[in-house]
Amino acid sequence: MLTIEHLTLQLPYYAPWWRRRWAEVLSDVSLELHPGEVHAVVGASGAGKSLLAHALLGLLPEPKRQTGRLTFHRQVLTAARQRQLRGRELALIPQSLDALDPLVRSQRQVSWAANRAGDARANAWQAAGQALTHYQLDERSKQAFPHELSGGMARRVLVAMAHVSHAQLIIADEPSVGLDPQQRDRVLDALAALARQGKAVLLITHDLRHALPIAQRVTLMRQGRCVETAFASAFQGDGDTLATDYAQALWQALPDNHFGVTPTAQAQNVA
Amino acid sequence: MSRAQPRRDALWMGAAIAVLLVALLSSRWWLGDTPGQMHFDARLAAPSLDHWLGTDALGRDLWARTLAGLSLSIGVGSLAALIGTFIALGMALLAMLGPRFDALVALVIDTLLSVPHLILLLLIAFALGGGTQAVIIAVAVTHWPRLARLLRAELLQLRHAPYIAMSRALGKSQCFVMVYHYLPQVLPQCVVGALLLFPHAILHEAALTFLGVGLDPSQPAIGLLLADAMRYLSSGVWWLGLFPGLGLLLVVLSLERLASHWRHAL
Amino acid sequence: MQLIATFAVRLLRLALVMVCVAAVSFGLMMLSPIDPIDAYLGPQMAQVSPEQRDLIAERWGFNEPPVVQFGHWLGQLIQGDLGVSHVYNQPVSEVIGQRFKRSIVLLGSAWLLTTLVGFALGVVAGAREGSLLDSIISTYAYLTASTPAFWLAMLLLLLFSVYLGWTPVCCAGPTGTLSQDVGLATRLHHLILPVMTLALVGIATITLHTRTRMIALMNSNIATHAFAQGASRWDIAWRHGIRHASLPALTLSLASLGELFGGSVLVEQVFAYPGLGEATVAAGLRSDVPLLLGIALFTALFVSVGNLLADTLYALIDPRMQKVTP
């Protein structure tokens, strides 16, 4: 559905004496997302995961330098097309809960999202109500302001906002962060359900363990580069089928897998 | 648009405006007694090559009088801003001495802020019986509370900082903490605060003299020039009203821009 | 319950501040080198014998120590007696009442205009930071923020009344007509320029403040999320921006009633509009101490109530302040 080919992104920073320099934050990233699949992008903070999400939606502010090719449904995804498709075909579940407007009740916010996706006002309000019910938010929560909701509930409001857009591609940026295990599973299940409906889900997370239960494919990112893309099934046993040392090391370093710190992993971490 | 720009801009603007201010302040010397000279052959003359901005009812050159007025405004304004900043700093430090002092300072600030500036200015100028000194003191006394409130908020955050508790625990005196910990923290704020007070002080000085409570009428203050212009307004003498105000606007505007640039740069 | 308690505390504080204002203004009046008897007598000063002066001083209590005088004045104040204005030869409360009735029309319409237009301009400018419209609006705001109100009043008077003749040159009605005979249209006609001046100058603060708020919002996660939903800039400004910026703008404009009043003193002076501002200047210049004190107290009350409202509005309206997180 979405193909990313050799995406490279440079952002400016300022050296002394007011000289502008460019820092490469994404280098030669290539990915392919398929309908009906949850594709996880896993990496430490600063690996460029969120920037990738924002680049896909065309949300990065100028000035920036971006090269490479994005294709959506076999058509090149230009900035103009991104603007057209945002909220209709492409949806974002943002990382931070302060993406919710603190002064607007949940149902109204969700109905705005539906309205922006092309629903008429009355329909949008209904669709919002249904979507919130779908994500197990009761009437009281629908009329609540974001600060009155728990973290898990607010997160589900954000998922509902992506849900009402009927987008084919959903990018979820760290949807599991800061939630207790039960709430986290609820949110992850919701994403898996969206994929079962035939949508493509790009799941961005720093924790491999959260991604594996629902993802079909996993891409590991490190310092703006794709290290490896593997099937989720490859992450089992000793991880022998994984192609790169980094992936193997990451897998073995998980608590359930003998906490192994291999020499390669140490070397990588130092680097 | 770039993040690094403000500092460079602030430096350039600061230099340019400093030159302007020094030129205006020094105008007192190179103008000599031209502001007071009367040309009876050219009363209420429109702007011409002889008198660039025209003359007033006594044939005095408006260009010279405007420059002299601006010079006076800058002098009064800078003194008032300086005194105001010192009062603000002193009051903010006083508030740090303990909760009682703090409550007292807060009450004084609230009291002064609740009277409209101009009314307070009138009251103080009235109490001091007018004159340049009264204007300077009135403007200083009315303008410190806002800055003091800002500095106090800044210092209150500092009070519980670990390094200050440490300093106290090590036996340093109140005085030491004031001078070496509190003061350096708020000095940049003070500089910007003084700069921000400056244009306000000038505007209020002009307003006060315009109302006729301020300076001695023989001095060509901008407010007095404009009050004088009021009398000839209905006969269509536009230059007397236009130019002194324009000069004042330019000075205040450049100071205001400089101050806000510095605030962002610091 | 808690709301009522905080409100009560604020009211007490207001009362305390008012007492302080009274003390400070009275102290300032005592400090004045201008002899109150001379001020009272005015030009008749020379015709009065020393014995008569003593009599006046005794009658008005000028010979007593300042603290006693203050106590006396405060006592009268509490009974609602503000003294007699010698400039207008009327009780101070009457002067203030009459004058304020005229000024409130001026202040009210200028306040409304300033708040609405200032807010709208701020939203428009901040929604597209760096656009041409933003540059125009910001430049205008920076320019008027540095403009002396009385000078702008003079320029407007020169242009509209002297050259174009569209508006009257002075006062609240035609000269020689009693104020009760002046029709509504004439009244409004005389109000246009003073209101315009106050609004043109006052807009700047609210515009700049709202613009800053809007720019912050436009760069926030809320806006990024809305952009990701396909919202346009105007959509975000309309739905999110107005919600976020309106309360601060209203608070600011309530909190700057003092500046508005200061502006009206100057503007009334230029247009010879017989409002409270003009009376203030007259009282100051002609040493009418009771009137000056009365006006200081009255305007302080006016400004403090504005501040109180501004403080309370947040607690009343902002949903974040109302309920505690469950």
Side-chain angles (χ1 to χ4, degrees), chain C residues 14-27:
Chain C
L14 191 142
L16 180 64
V17 167
M18 289 314 295
V19 172
C20 289
V21 169
V24 167
S25 7
F26 195 83

Side-chain angles (χ1 to χ4, degrees), chain A residues 1-2 33 72 89-91 167-171 199-202:
Chain A
M1 185 187 283
L2 177 79
L33 305 184
F72 184 71
E89 292 292 314
L90 313 170
Q168 289 305 299
L169 171 65
I170 289 170
I171 301 169
K199 303 182 181 201
V201 175
L202 180 67

Side-chain angles (χ1 to χ4, degrees), chain C residues 37 51-64:
Chain C
I37 302 172
E51 292 79 41
Q52 281 172 303
R53 293 183 73 98
D54 283 346
L55 218 66
I56 295 170
E58 204 162 317
R59 163 100 169 68
W60 293 92
F62 290 141
N63 291 334
E64 287 168 85

Side-chain angles (χ1 to χ4, degrees), chain C residues 39-316:
Chain C
Y40 173 69
L41 293 171
Q44 295 162 330
M45 215 189 320
Q47 303 160 11
V48 177
S49 68
E51 292 79 41
Q52 281 172 303
R53 293 183 73 98
D54 283 346
L55 218 66
I56 295 170
E58 204 162 317
R59 163 100 169 68
W60 293 92
F62 290 141
N63 291 334
E64 287 168 85
V67 182
V68 178
Q69 286 190 43
F70 179 61
H72 189 62
W73 177 68
L74 209 60
Q76 283 186 325
L77 188 69
I78 287 163
Q79 287 163 29
D81 181 10
L82 287 164
V84 177
S85 151
H86 67 73
V87 171
Y88 295 98
N89 222 345
Q90 259 181 318
V92 168
S93 47
E94 268 177 41
V95 177
I96 292 180
Q98 283 168 7
R99 295 279 169 155
F100 187 63
K101 232 189 289 170
R102 288 206 203 93
S103 282
I104 192 68
V105 186
L106 172 63
L107 290 171
S109 34
W111 184 81
L112 212 63
L113 211 62
T114 307
T115 311
L116 292 178
V117 177
F119 178 67
L121 288 182
V123 169
V124 169
R128 281 193 84 91
E129 188 192 2
S131 66
L132 181 67
L133 206 56
D134 176 34
S135 321
I136 294 173
I137 293 174
S138 312
T139 311
Y140 166 77
Y142 288 135
L143 212 61
T144 48
S146 308
T147 307
F150 60 95
W151 178 62
L152 185 68
M154 286 173 68
L155 291 188
L156 291 181
L157 188 71
L158 194 64
L159 180 64
F160 289 106
S161 302
V162 177
Y163 280 106
L164 298 172
W166 292 352
T167 45
V169 185
C170 89
C171 318
T175 34
T177 322
L178 287 173
S179 64
Q180 52 263 43
D181 298 339
V182 181
L184 184 68
T186 327
R187 268 172 210 272
L188 290 181
H189 194 203
H190 283 82
L191 266 174
I192 294 176
L193 276 194
V195 170
M196 282 287 288
T197 315
L198 283 180
L200 282 175
V201 174
I203 281 172
T205 354
I206 299 197
T207 300
L208 290 176
H209 184 83
T210 308
R211 177 176 175 269
T212 316
R213 288 262 168 184
M214 284 299 289
I215 290 173
L217 177 81
M218 280 301 182
N219 293 317
S220 71
N221 281 330
I222 298 169
T224 311
H225 187 208
F227 278 128
Q229 292 162 31
S232 67
R233 267 180 184 278
W234 295 119
D235 177 354
I236 298 174
W238 179 250
R239 281 177 166 149
H240 300 281
I242 287 184
R243 267 164 213 262
H244 280 254
S246 55
L247 193 53
L250 188 59
T251 316
L252 179 70
S253 78
L254 275 175
S256 41
L257 284 180
E259 268 109 88
L260 184 70
F261 188 81
S264 84
V265 171
L266 293 162
V267 167
E268 283 181 12
Q269 188 70 9
V270 173
F271 293 105
Y273 188 85
L276 197 55
E278 209 214 9
T280 313
V281 178
L285 289 181
R286 295 166 64 186
S287 312
D288 191 342
V289 174
L291 184 57
L292 210 48
L293 282 176
I295 290 175
L297 270 181
F298 181 76
T299 51
L301 189 66
F302 183 67
V303 169
S304 302
V305 169
N307 283 335
L308 186 72
L309 277 180
D311 282 348
T312 333
L313 264 183
Y314 259 106
L316 279 179

Side-chain angles (χ1 to χ4, degrees), chain A residues 107-109 111 114 120-130 143:
Chain A
Q107 188 168 4
R108 171 139 292 131
Q109 302 212 33
S111 82
R121 250 157 218 274
N123 291 344
W125 181 257
Q126 263 187 341
Q130 282 162 7
Q143 299 312 319

Side-chain angles (χ1 to χ4, degrees), chain B residues 2-21:
Chain B
S2 68
R3 277 166 291 170
Q5 218 71 310
R7 260 163 200 270
R8 187 170 40 175
D9 281 3
L11 278 176
W12 280 114
M13 274 183 67
I17 288 168
V19 170
L20 179 79
L21 291 189

